[in-house]
Amino acid sequence: MTKGRLEAFSDGVIAIIITIMVLEFKVPHGDDLSALHSLVPVFVSYVLSFVMMGIYWNNHHHLLQAAQQVNGRILWANMHLLFWLSLMPFVTGWMGESRFAPWPVALYGVDLLLAGFAYFVLTKALVAHHGRDSHLAAAIGRDIKGQLSLVIYLVATPLAFVNTWLACALYVLVAVVWLVPDPRIEKTLTAREK
Amino acid sequence: MTKGRLEAFSDGVIAIIITIMVLEFKVPHGDDLSALHSLVPVFVSYVLSFVMMGIYWNNHHHLLQAAQQVNGRILWANMHLLFWLSLMPFVTGWMGESRFAPWPVALYGVDLLLAGFAYFVLTKALVAHHGRDSHLAAAIGRDIKGQLSLVIYLVATPLAFVNTWLACALYVLVAVVWLVPDPRIEKTLTAREK
Amino acid sequence: MTKGRLEAFSDGVIAIIITIMVLEFKVPHGDDLSALHSLVPVFVSYVLSFVMMGIYWNNHHHLLQAAQQVNGRILWANMHLLFWLSLMPFVTGWMGESRFAPWPVALYGVDLLLAGFAYFVLTKALVAHHGRDSHLAAAIGRDIKGQLSLVIYLVATPLAFVNTWLACALYVLVAVVWLVPDPRIEKTLTAREK
Amino acid sequence: MTKGRLEAFSDGVIAIIITIMVLEFKVPHGDDLSALHSLVPVFVSYVLSFVMMGIYWNNHHHLLQAAQQVNGRILWANMHLLFWLSLMPFVTGWMGESRFAPWPVALYGVDLLLAGFAYFVLTKALVAHHGRDSHLAAAIGRDIKGQLSLVIYLVATPLAFVNTWLACALYVLVAVVWLVPDPRIEKTLTAREK
C-alpha cells in the first residue's frame, strides 16, 4: 500500500485543525485596543498550539519521508494520532477562554500526552512493518525526545493544579526541545541517498 | 480519466468532515471539571463518528487503490457518498446534544444507512467500469461486510424508538466489524503485485 | 507552469466550500421530529448547492484534464471562479433560512450567474493559452451548455421577484442539464489517447 | 527533502483560510435587501483579503516552482508565514464588523506587514539553501516588490489613525502592484527550460 494518500489525508486534517483553531478568536464587539485585551490569553494559547501542530506536521513529514509503505495497522495508528490532534482546537479554546485555569491547563496537557503517546505508537507500527534493521528504524533510533516529551507531559499535567504557569512552562519546554531540528533522521536520510 | 483528483478531493472532504465535527464541542463557560460534564455525550458521539469516518476513509483508500481509472458515473457515485457523509457532523451534533434521544439516534442510523448504500453503489459503478473479471471485482468479492452493515442499520434505526442504547450498540457493532482489516482486498492487491 | 498545484488548490477550496455549507445546519434545540421541521428549507437549499458544487468540481476536473499547462492569467481566472463559489455557503444559508424569500433567491441566482461567467472566462483563458487548434479548444467546443446556463440564470434571477419557485425550478433545470455527462470532452480525450 | 508535501500543506492551509473567511458573513435575519446593507463593509474587507490571499498563493506557487528542495529551516519559515496568514480571517472580520474603524484597520496592516516580512524570510531561507547563483536566487532577484510592500505597510499602518481610507487605499495599492504578474520569475523559469 502506498503512503501518498496517508500523507495527503494527514496534511489535510492537520491543515484544517491549525486553521479552525483561529475560529476561537471571536471578532470583538468594540473597535479599539481595549476590545483586544480580553483576547490576549486566547492568542497566547493559539500561538502555543500552532507551534505544537507545526512540530507534529514537521515530525510526521520526516517520519513518512523515511517510510516506504504502509499497512492497515499503520493507517489506524495514524488515525488515532489525528484523533487526539483533532481535540486541540477544543482544549486550546478552553484554556484560552478560561484564562489558563487549572482544569483546562491540565486537560490541555492530557491531550498533548495522548497525542504524544499516539505518535509513539505510530512510530512502533512503522518500525514493525519496515523491520528493526530498516533505515526508518535507524532514523527513529531510541527516540529520546519522544519519550522525554511524554515524561514532561506526565509531570506537567498534575502540576497544573499547583501552578498553572509552571505547567505551561513545561509545555513550552517540550516545544523548544522539538523546534531544534532532529539531526538523526535528516542525517540518516542524507546517508541513504549517498 | 485518472483517479488522482477523485482521491484528493475525497480526502479533502473527509478530512474536513472529521475536523469540523469537533466544532460541535462548544468551549464551556465554566472552568472546572463540572463544565465538561455536559459535554460527555457530545464527546461519545464524536468518537463514534470519528471511527466511522476513519473506516470510510480506509475503505475508500483500499477501494480506489484497486481501481485503475474512473468515469463520470463513478465521479457522481462518489459525490453521492460524500453527500451523506457531509451530513455526519449534523447528525452527530444532534445525537450528542440531545443526549442520545430516540429521533436523533434514529436519524444518525438513517444517515449511516444511506452512506453505506452510497458506498455500495460506488463499488457497483467501479466494478461495472473495470469488468466482472477485474482484480477490483475480485478484491470486492461478494462484499458480505457491506451488505451486513446495511442490514444492521436497517434493524438498528427503528430500534432507536424502543431502546436507544441497543441501536447505538448495533452502530458500534458495525464499526467493530469494519475495524478488523479486510484481508480479501489486501490479499488480492498483494497477489497482483507478485 | 504545471497545473498540479492549481488542481490541488481548487480541489481544496471546493471541498471546503461543500463541507462548510453544512455548518448552516444548526443543531436544533428540540429532540424530536418537529425540531427538524424548520430545517427542511435549509436542507433543500443545501442539496441544490451541493449538486451545483459537484457539477463545478466535475467540469473543472474535465477542463483541467484537457489542459496541459497554465499561466498567470489562468491562475487568476481560476481564483475569480473560486471567489464566486466561495460565496455559495452564504447565499445558500440565506436562501434556506429565509425560506426561499425573493431577495435571497435572486441573490443566489446572481452568484450562480457570476460563477458561471467566471467559468466561461476561465475556459477562454485556457483556450487562449493552448491555441484554437488544441485538443482543449476542441473539447470545449462552442460550449452551448455554459452559455445556455448563463441565459437561464439571467432569466431566473428577476423571476425570483415574480415567483420564487419558478426561479428555483430554473436553477434546478441548469443542474439537470449539467448532470448529464458532457460527451464532447470525454470523446475528445478518448480520441486523443488513441 | 522533497517539496511536495510542503506545497500540499500550504495549499491546504491557504485554501481553508480563504474559505473560512466567508464564515464571517453571518446569514442576516431579515430577508430583503436592507438586511444585506450592514454586510457591505464585511464584504469589502472579504474581497480585499481574498485578493491578498490569492496573491500569496500565487507568489508561493511561483517561488516553490523555482525551488528544488527544502530543509527544516525552510519548513519553519513557511510555517511562520502561514501563522500570520492564519490571522487574516480574524483581522478581516474585525475590520469589516467595525466598519473600518482605526484600530482594526491598523491591526489589518500589522498582520499584512508581518506576513510580508515572513514571506521575505522564506525567500531568504530558500536562497540560502539553493545558493546565490541558483536559478531560484536569479528568479527572486532583488525583490523590489516585496520590499516596497513592506515599506507601504509601514507607512499605511500608522496612517490608519489619521485617515482609515488612506490606509486602505495603500493596502489596495500593494494588491495592485502584485496583481501585475511578475515577469522576472516566469522569464527565468522559461529560460531554464530551454
Side-chain angles (χ1 to χ4, degrees), chain D residues 4 14 46 62 95 133 140 149 155 158 162 178 184 187 194:
Chain D
I14 295 175
Y46 176 63
H62 277 85
M95 187 165 77
D133 305 326
I140 294 170
S149 304
V155 172
V162 181
W178 281 105
R184 281 168 304 136
K187 208 180 292 169
K194 278 173 193 167

Side-chain angles (χ1 to χ4, degrees), chain A residues 80-179:
Chain A
H80 178 227
L81 170 62
L82 294 179
F83 177 77
W84 295 114
L85 294 181
S86 80
L87 296 180
M88 286 292 282
F90 172 72
V91 295
T92 304
W94 199 31
M95 188 166 77
E97 296 220 350
S98 73
R99 300 168 161 273
F100 295 86
W103 274 103
V105 170
L107 193 75
Y108 189 82
V110 169
D111 193 37
L112 288 176
L113 176 65
L114 291 165
F117 178 70
Y119 189 82
F120 174 77
V121 171
L122 176 61
T123 60
K124 290 292 162 204
L126 279 161
V127 168
H129 189 57
H130 287 78
R132 295 206 148 268
D133 305 325
S134 63
H135 282 291
L136 183 98
I140 293 170
R142 285 190 300 148
D143 194 20
I144 309 276
K145 271 191 192 181
Q147 286 168 37
L148 180 67
S149 305
L150 296 185
V151 171
I152 296 179
Y153 291 142
L154 268 175
V155 172
T157 298
L159 262 183
F161 298 101
V162 182
N163 186 323
T164 51
W165 298 113
L166 203 57
C168 291
L170 287 173
Y171 302 156
V172 171
L173 177 67
V174 174
V176 169
V177 166
W178 280 106
L179 274 176

Side-chain angles (χ1 to χ4, degrees), chain A residues 1-6 8-9 12-13 16-17 20 23-24 70-73 75-76 78-80 82-84 86-87 89-90 93-95 97-98 101-104 107, chain B residues 7 10-12 14-16 18-20 22-23 25-28 30-33 35-36 39 43 46-47 50-51 53-55 57-58 60-62 64-65 179 186 193:
Chain A
M1 213 186 298
T2 56
K3 63 181 182 175
R5 256 190 101 178
L6 178 67
F9 183 71
V13 172
I16 301 158
I17 291 171
I20 68 172
L23 292 179
E24 292 300 328
V70 295
N71 61 10
R73 204 176 137 209
L75 290 188
W76 279 106
N78 191 62
M79 203 61 93
H80 178 227
L82 294 179
F83 177 77
W84 295 114
S86 80
L87 296 180
F90 172 72
W94 199 31
M95 188 166 77
E97 296 220 350
S98 73
W103 274 103
L107 193 75
Chain B
E7 290 183 324
S10 306
D11 280 358
I14 295 175
I16 301 158
I18 273 193
T19 321
I20 68 173
V22 94
L23 291 178
F25 286 91
K26 304 284 188 300
V27 169
D31 54 13
D32 57 5
L33 200 58
L36 284 186
L39 286 175
F43 182 74
Y46 175 63
V47 173
F50 190 96
V51 172
M53 294 303 298
I55 290 166
W57 182 76
N58 233 321
H60 195 269
H61 183 131
H62 277 87
L64 278 150
Q65 187 110 348
L179 274 176
E186 286 206 37
E193 279 158 18

Side-chain angles (χ1 to χ4, degrees), chain D residues 17 24 49 55 77 81 95 103 105 116 120-121 157 160 171 176 190:
Chain D
I17 291 170
E24 292 300 328
S49 293
I55 290 168
L81 169 63
M95 187 165 77
W103 274 103
V105 171
F120 173 76
V121 170
T157 299
Y171 303 156
V176 170
T190 314

Side-chain angles (χ1 to χ4, degrees), chain D residues 18 25 34 61 69 76 102 109 111 119 137 150 158-159 178 186:
Chain D
I18 273 192
F25 285 90
S34 68
H61 183 132
Q69 36 169 220
W76 279 107
D111 194 35
Y119 189 82
L150 296 184
L159 263 182
W178 281 105
E186 287 206 36

